[in-house]
Amino acid sequence: MPNPVPSDDRLANDPLVDAIESASEAFVIWDADDRLLFCNDHYRNFFAEPDRVRRGVPFDDLVEMNIVYTSIAEISLLPSGWDPDRYRTLRKACHAGAADTFIQLRDGRWLQSRERRTRAGGIVGIYSDITERMQTEMALAAAKRAADDANLAKSRFLAAASHDLRQPLHAVGILMSALQARLTTDRQTTIAAQIGDCLDTVTGLFDALLDISKLDAGVIAPAMTALPLAPVLRSLRREFAPLAHRKGLRLTVLDSRATARSDPAMLGRILRNLVSNAVKYTSAGRVLVGVRHTPHGLRIDVIDTGPGFDPAEAEAVFREFHRLDGADSEQGIGLGLAIADRLARLLDHRLSVDTRPGHGTRFSLTLPRVSLALPRTDAGITAATPLPPDHQPPRGLAGARLLMIDDDPDIRAAAALLFDAWGCHAALAAGPDDLDAALARLNGPPDAVILDYFLKDGWTGARLAPLLTDRLGHAVPMLMVTGETTPDLLREAQRLGFPVLHKPLHPIRLGAALRQMVGRRGRPGGTP
């Protein structure tokens, strides 16, 4: 038998009724048979027909009222939109389980429903108006989506725009290297070196954009190892001492016998960015690099006596394209610290900054310590090794047969001059149509192939590579060169399985990659 519903007189004499009616939340209580025992006016006014919300009405009747008037849409239950049958099933199940849910009224208000079982088997429900909180959360979510979309659009734009700029710079770099091998006077060499410095600066900016694209693409994965810091510090000293000397700064890099756990290349990139910034922004005084042992691990400090900056900008300096005042004469687009910060987070290292206007700046990188005493070696620290002069041809390539496939005529013309200066036998093709003629000019199979990623008429280096292998009848070492930096293409290039270099490409790096490929294949020009 159903339990009797309390009479009006009993409820009228209940001292709790006035308290419940004055509460800001909507309140309702159901008996064990899901008949309404009591509710306050806040709850009653949620419905299209408040007069029908009275004692004794079954819960199912109120559900049907909502369906008829579609007065509410339970977003937490119906993320795909209003569906009467699905609403009926899920709302009854939620009520039977006395579970919490979020409800949006048709007038736009949001409610949080909290239902709990009573000892008598009924259900108590409290509905709180959370409209302001939900509007704030939705505004924050929308702002985050807009920021993420803007960041992605920026990365795509930079990647697309940089491709068109990389092509001519790539050709200029190759031509400069070929020209330096033919200069005869000191004056000519000095001018060429100054042009080369400008090209290196522009290339560095493109490399920074490429690093951001790689991080966005998720193609950079750390290779953690026990890493002695002494070689890293010596490499920093060798690289930045000349620049500091030219600016009249005292660069002190303290030795350390500590061993950390990190990725050698990524750690080197972070520290080079920090030291480069310290030297760039310091006009007088010194730059100090040292390692401290702390309870949290090893802390590498890069301290300068530069102008410092407002501590309120401590977080902003790690944002992309954020530049501080005071380096107007320097080239840069504000990516160095952003790259350092993202690499540090990828390595699970902590990068922080302490600064005060007029008192310099300290950047600190905290990383895990390895207590094991390991041999002190320079192995793996190659990124900061000085490159040989541009005019010296790479050893081991004289006589090598090279095939280059690139649809840009300026790049092919520049490469022909460069390979000739290196003493190589080179043939160049624009694509598959003139591939046979290029192979015929080689008078033998190529020792290495340089492929551009994007070619004309829908061809790509990735598509051409297996056809070239079939044409030759055997595998040939291949090197992919591309000016593309979009995340999807970076991931595809990583899956190709052979080396990928990015334009604008320093000729020395091209020569080093080719020398390694030819060396693995055997004596240059020999039979495979």
Side-chain angles (χ1 to χ4, degrees):
M1 293 292 293
N3 295 322
V5 177
S7 66
D8 291 343
D9 292 340
R10 286 176 57 191
L11 287 174
N13 295 327
D14 192 329
L16 293 178
V17 171
D18 289 340
I20 293 173
E21 284 288 359
S22 65
S24 59
E25 288 86 4
F27 177 87
V28 63
I29 183 167
W30 307 87
D31 65 14
D33 297 315
D34 265 348
R35 293 180 303 171
L36 192 147
L37 287 176
F38 174 76
C39 70
N40 60 8
D41 287 339
H42 286 304
Y43 180 80
R44 190 176 291 107
N45 291 331
F46 289 154
F47 293 86
E49 297 182 78
D51 292 341
R52 290 180 55 188
V53 185
R54 57 184 181 271
R55 292 190 308 278
V57 65
F59 176 80
D60 290 358
D61 287 1
L62 299 187
V63 171
E64 295 304 319
M65 185 191 303
N66 283 334
I67 291 175
V68 170
Y69 290 98
T70 60
S71 55
I72 66 173
E74 301 209 8
I75 305 302
S76 61
L77 297 179
L78 302 171
S80 300
W82 179 259
D83 181 332
D85 293 333
R86 184 166 174 77
Y87 166 75
R88 179 184 294 110
T89 300
L90 293 177
R91 184 66 186 98
K92 289 181 179 181
C94 183
H95 178 73
D100 295 350
T101 189
F102 294 93
I103 299 171
Q104 186 180 28
L105 304 181
R106 287 298 172 180
D107 62 9
R109 285 181 295 161
W110 282 88
L111 307 175
Q112 182 177 10
S113 165
R114 289 165 291 183
E115 295 184 329
R116 297 293 183 270
R117 284 284 177 189
T118 67
R119 286 179 295 179
I123 292 178
V124 172
I126 298 177
Y127 296 74
S128 302
D129 191 328
I130 58 168
T131 303
E132 185 175 348
R133 190 187 87 186
M134 291 296 293
Q135 289 174 342
T136 300
E137 291 179 358
M138 288 188 292
L140 289 174
K144 184 179 184 303
R145 287 194 301 270
D148 291 342
D149 290 344
N151 186 61
L152 183 59
K154 172 218 63 184
S155 296
R156 287 174 174 169
F157 168 77
L158 290 173
S162 67
H163 173 265
D164 293 337
L165 296 174
R166 285 172 181 269
Q167 291 288 100
L169 282 173
H170 182 55
V172 172
I174 294 175
L175 284 170
M176 276 302 304
S177 186
L179 175 63
Q180 286 174 319
R182 293 168 170 81
L183 301 179
T184 58
T185 69
D186 292 341
R187 178 61 176 164
Q188 292 172 340
T189 303
T190 299
I191 295 174
Q194 291 172 341
I195 298 174
D197 289 342
C198 294
L199 284 173
D200 288 343
T201 298
V202 176
T203 300
L205 300 181
F206 278 111
D207 288 343
L209 294 174
L210 175 61
D211 286 337
I212 290 291
S213 297
K214 286 181 177 179
L215 289 167
D216 287 340
V219 300
I220 298 180
M224 306 298 284
T225 185
L227 177 65
L229 293 180
V232 181
L233 297 170
R234 288 199 299 269
S235 186
L236 290 173
R237 186 186 298 116
R238 287 196 304 267
E239 182 174 356
F240 290 101
L243 177 59
H245 179 74
R246 287 198 297 270
K247 292 193 65 174
L249 303 176
R250 180 184 174 191
L251 173 64
T252 303
V253 182
L254 302 177
D255 292 327
S256 174
R257 299 185 63 183
T259 299
R261 181 163 184 80
S262 188
D263 177 286
M266 292 186 187
L267 177 62
R269 182 62 188 271
I270 293 171
L271 295 178
R272 285 198 303 278
N273 283 0
L274 297 180
V275 176
S276 174
N277 264 26
V279 174
K280 178 193 300 183
Y281 288 100
T282 303
S283 57
R286 66 182 301 190
V287 174
L288 172 67
V289 182
V291 181
R292 292 179 179 269
H293 293 262
T294 75
H296 305 290
L298 296 171
R299 194 184 79 197
I300 305 176
D301 291 331
V302 179
I303 305 171
D304 65 62
T305 59
F309 54 89
D310 188 341
E313 289 193 83
E315 292 186 10
V317 295
F318 296 113
R319 296 175 189 161
E320 296 166 13
F321 307 106
H322 183 88
R323 294 196 63 201
L324 295 170
D325 295 332
D328 296 337
S329 62
E330 301 287 350
Q331 297 294 323
I333 52 177
L335 286 176
L337 290 178
I339 292 171
D341 180 58
R342 292 175 69 168
L343 288 175
R345 285 187 275 117
L346 188 62
L347 293 168
D348 200 22
H349 299 346
R350 180 174 178 269
L351 181 59
S352 60
V353 59
D354 292 302
T355 185
R356 197 156 51 120
H359 292 79
T361 302
R362 182 188 72 191
F363 283 92
S364 299
L365 182 71
T366 303
L367 59 168
R369 178 193 302 110
V370 175
S371 57
L372 204 59
L374 298 175
R376 299 173 70 179
T377 173
D378 283 346
I381 310 300
T382 58
T385 302
L387 295 171
D390 286 356
H391 62 273
Q392 294 182 0
R395 291 175 295 179
L397 285 182
R401 289 192 293 266
L402 304 178
L403 172 63
M404 182 174 189
I405 304 174
D406 195 303
D407 61 355
D408 190 309
D410 292 333
I411 291 177
R412 293 199 305 273
L417 294 172
L418 179 66
F419 295 150
D420 179 65
W422 287 354
C424 303
H425 301 299
L428 299 103
D433 292 341
D434 53 353
L435 189 56
D436 288 336
L439 289 171
R441 291 194 297 272
L442 274 183
N443 295 319
D447 295 301
V449 177
I450 305 102
L451 276 167
D452 189 20
Y453 187 88
F454 272 121
L455 302 169
K456 291 182 178 179
D457 301 324
W459 282 89
T460 66
R463 179 184 172 193
L464 186 57
L467 299 180
L468 183 58
T469 299
D470 291 342
R471 183 82 55 90
L472 296 172
H474 55 79
V476 175
M478 296 188 187
L479 174 69
M480 185 72 71
V481 178
T482 179
E484 293 294 325
T485 58
T486 56
D488 290 343
L489 288 174
L490 289 172
R491 282 190 286 267
E492 182 179 353
Q494 189 183 47
R495 292 193 296 265
L496 293 175
F498 42 77
V500 178
L501 297 179
H502 294 270
K503 301 175 183 177
L505 178 60
H506 201 296
I508 291 176
R509 299 201 186 281
L510 174 62
L514 291 174
R515 185 174 66 248
Q516 187 176 20
M517 295 166 63
V518 171
R520 286 199 303 264
R521 185 170 173 78
R523 187 176 67 85
T527 302

